[in-house]
Structure formats: structure tokens, C-alpha cells
Amino acid sequence: MALVGVGAGQGSISQWCRQHRAHHRYVDTSEDPYNVQRGFFHAHIGWIIFKDNSNLHNRVDITDLKADPIVCWQRRYYWQLTILMAYIVPTVIAGLIWGDWLGGFVIAGCVGTAGVQQVTFSINSFAHWYGTQPFQGVKSPRDNFITAFVTLGEGYHNFHHEFPADYRTGVRWYDHDPTKWTIWFWSRIGLASNLRRSPDSEIEKRRLQRCREILDQAWDNVDCGMTVKDLPDISWEAYQQQARTGCNLVVINGIVHDVSNFITDHPGGEELLTAVIGDDATQLFEGGAYKHSNAAHNLLSTLRIARVSKQPESRQLI
Ligand code: HEM
């Protein structure tokens, strides 16, 4: 695998893993090697072209990589192995099997390697730019089926950053994640071991928390009227006085509502509302005349203007 992997032309195992661990630890900060906050181009390929060393201070533990003889061997002979696996082997295969030496070098060697690189780079750019955030919304990683399709799974990047130890990136069984299927297959034939899966309950917990965050954010943009505790107090007498002077005010559940802009639109008719102006229509609203829907209760809350202090109980109309 170390030999085949080097053919992707994406650096040695130790270099790749070091940068990947730094990316996870410092994501979206100046210590992130592919910091998407510096722009799409920088995250995609700019960080390779303009090596500015700004993230040299990041710290990650790679003692396990340094202790692995295969990783060290691949790193030592990286360039020789890359030329062999990325260019010579494809050229020789195409040349010997169907006689197209040039095609093997250009298509399978040069174009193939460059294509695979672009796909991998798109994880640092596209997967931090476009898509949904079903597991966390603070950092940039995103889930996107198209990115997942071209990167063979890695595009479920939001999950990957929230549960980085999980060998899967597409966590649902039907998510397009050939990488997880391959790793699982390798584990069956002894080429991979110690596969980690985050507990389903933890994944579900985080997904539901995120749903609640998204709902809360959406709810903040909805007009629910003034909160009851922020309403000014008004006496029952002052309320009636204002209603007598022509204000279209109705009390329901101890709250004064201004129905001026709604009275002609009332689905139950203008007359029914006019009849309760200056009075307490709680019981009529809550079922005495008609049991209003939740939508009607929501609408009612947007009409709040004051809270009645010391309301005489006998004022409720039935
Ligand atoms: C400011 C207070 C009120 C608001 C915001 C309001 C709102 C609504 C809304 C949105 C509906 C459509 C059906 C639904 O969503 O449930 C409705 C229907 C109705 N409302 Fe009200 N309402 C108010 C007060 C009243 C009062 C005080 C009465 C009775 C005295 C009343 C009687 C009815 C009736 C009978 C209907 C049914 C209409 C039908 O489907 O034929 N409403 N109201």
C-alpha cells in the first residue's frame, strides 16, 4: 500500500499525515496548512505554490509515524518511488500490454496524477466551502454529495471533522463512500485493523443537537412579537379607557392585543372581533366560540402591546 499510495504524487505518508493532523488540530486558523479562511484558491493549491511558512509553528505528534519502518522507508526514497509508481509503471503497463507507451506516460502518468491531485485538493477547498453542516456549524467543513462522489467519500467532511477517529466519512450505510467500503474490505482480509466507529448514540446526539442549533438560529429570525416579560403593564381601567377612545384593543390571556391591522382580515369575520374590543376574549378565543389553531396563537403573539395588571376575573366573555 505504501508503494501504491506513493503513485498519487501527494507527498510521503509521514508528510501527508503530519499536514492532515495539523489541519484537523488547527482548522480555519493561521496554523492550518490549508486554511480556507485565506480563500478558496489558497486552500485548493495556493498553499503548495506559495509556500509562505506561516504555519511552521503548528505542533502535532508524529512519533508513531517516525517509529514505523515502512513509513520511514517510503519517506527516504520518496522521489525515486514516485517517479517509479506515478510515471514508469503506468507507461510500462500501457506499453507492454497494448503497445501505447506514450499514451501510458501522458494519460495514465501525467494526466492521471495531476487529476488525482486536483481531486484531493478539492477536499481542502470545496469540502470547506460548499455543502451542509449536519454535525457542527462553527468550523468550515461541509458535507456535499458531489465532493463525496469525486473524492470517493471524503466529501462528507463535516462528519469527518466532528468524528475524525471514525474510519467512515459517509456515516449512513448508503452514503457514497467507497473509501470506507475499501477499508472495511481490507480489514476482512487482514490488510487493515483496529477500525474505529463512533457510537451510533453519540452520532445521533450530535446530529440532533445540530438540528436544534439550526432551528434556534431560524427561530431567532421569526417575528414572535414582544416577549411577555418585556411588555409594559397597564391597568384594566386604563385598557378600557383606551378602547373607548377608539383603539382596537382586545385582552386575551391577560395580554392586550392591538387588532387594528387585523380586524378586517379576521377569518371569523370582523364583527366577532369588534364585539370584544375593550373586553376579555380569552374564553371565546380558546374554544368558547371557536378553538383557534396554533397558527392563530402565533399570529396573536405578534399583536401584543401590553400586560394587564390586576384584571377583574368577572370580565371574561363566554
Ligand atoms: C386577536 C384575536 C384573534 C385572532 C388573532 C384570530 C385569528 C383567527 C384565525 C387565524 C382564524 C383562522 C382559523 C384558525 O387559524 O384557527 C380564525 C378563525 C375564527 N375565529 Fe378568530 N381570531 C381572534 C379572535 C377571535 C374571537 C374573539 C372570536 C370569537 C368571538 C373568533 C372567532 C373565530 C371563528 C368563529 C373562526 C372560524 C372561522 C371559520 O373557519 O369559519 N376569533 N381566527
Side-chain angles (χ1 to χ4, degrees), residues 2-179:
L3 206 53
V4 173
V6 83
Q10 293 177 23
S12 63
I13 295 170
S14 63
Q15 182 198 354
W16 204 101
C17 290
R18 193 205 175 284
Q19 283 173 339
H20 192 68
R21 289 176 189 180
H23 169 62
H24 271 265
R25 180 166 178 185
Y26 299 101
V27 66
D28 294 341
T29 71
S30 58
E31 302 298 334
D32 175 358
Y34 345 109
N35 180 13
V36 79
Q37 304 304 326
R38 293 183 61 185
F40 185 91
F41 181 77
H42 174 82
H44 190 75
I45 200 170
W47 65 279
I48 300 172
I49 299 172
F50 311 109
K51 291 187 176 10
D52 61 5
N53 297 332
S54 65
N55 54 42
L56 275 185
H57 302 296
N58 61 31
R59 293 275 172 274
V60 283
D61 181 12
I62 53 166
T63 44
D64 56 334
L65 300 172
K66 284 182 173 164
D68 190 310
I70 296 177
V71 171
C72 294
W73 168 79
Q74 196 226 36
R75 184 190 166 101
R76 186 169 315 123
Y77 299 106
Y78 175 70
W79 286 110
Q80 295 92 318
L81 292 173
T82 300
I83 291 167
L84 174 71
M85 296 306 293
Y87 302 103
I88 296 177
V89 169
T91 306
V92 170
I93 289 175
L96 288 182
I97 300 180
W98 60 90
D100 190 358
W101 296 85
L102 184 62
F105 175 69
V106 174
I107 306 293
C110 301
V111 177
T113 307
V116 169
Q117 285 176 343
Q118 291 303 315
V119 165
T120 307
F121 299 162
S122 75
I123 294 166
N124 301 329
S125 54
F126 281 93
H128 284 262
W129 203 273
Y130 302 107
T132 57
Q133 299 191 295
F135 294 97
Q136 62 85 15
V138 179
K139 298 171 191 164
S140 62
R142 284 165 159 76
D143 281 8
N144 185 325
F145 174 76
I146 297 172
T147 320
F149 189 79
V150 293
T151 61
L152 307 181
E154 185 80 9
Y156 294 106
H157 216 53
N158 194 259
F159 175 82
H160 175 57
H161 270 260
E162 193 66 8
F163 296 97
D166 201 306
Y167 77 93
R168 306 161 298 176
T169 47
V171 70
R172 294 163 300 191
W173 66 267
Y174 56 85
D175 283 336
H176 179 79
D177 186 0
T179 308

Side-chain angles (χ1 to χ4, degrees), residues 252 259 262 266-268 272-273 276 281 284-285 289-290 292-293 296 299-300 303:
I252 295 173
V259 297
F262 174 67
H266 180 224
L272 285 177
L273 262 189
V276 296
L284 291 173
F285 183 84
Y290 171 69
H292 286 79
S293 66
L299 180 65
L300 185 68
L303 307 178

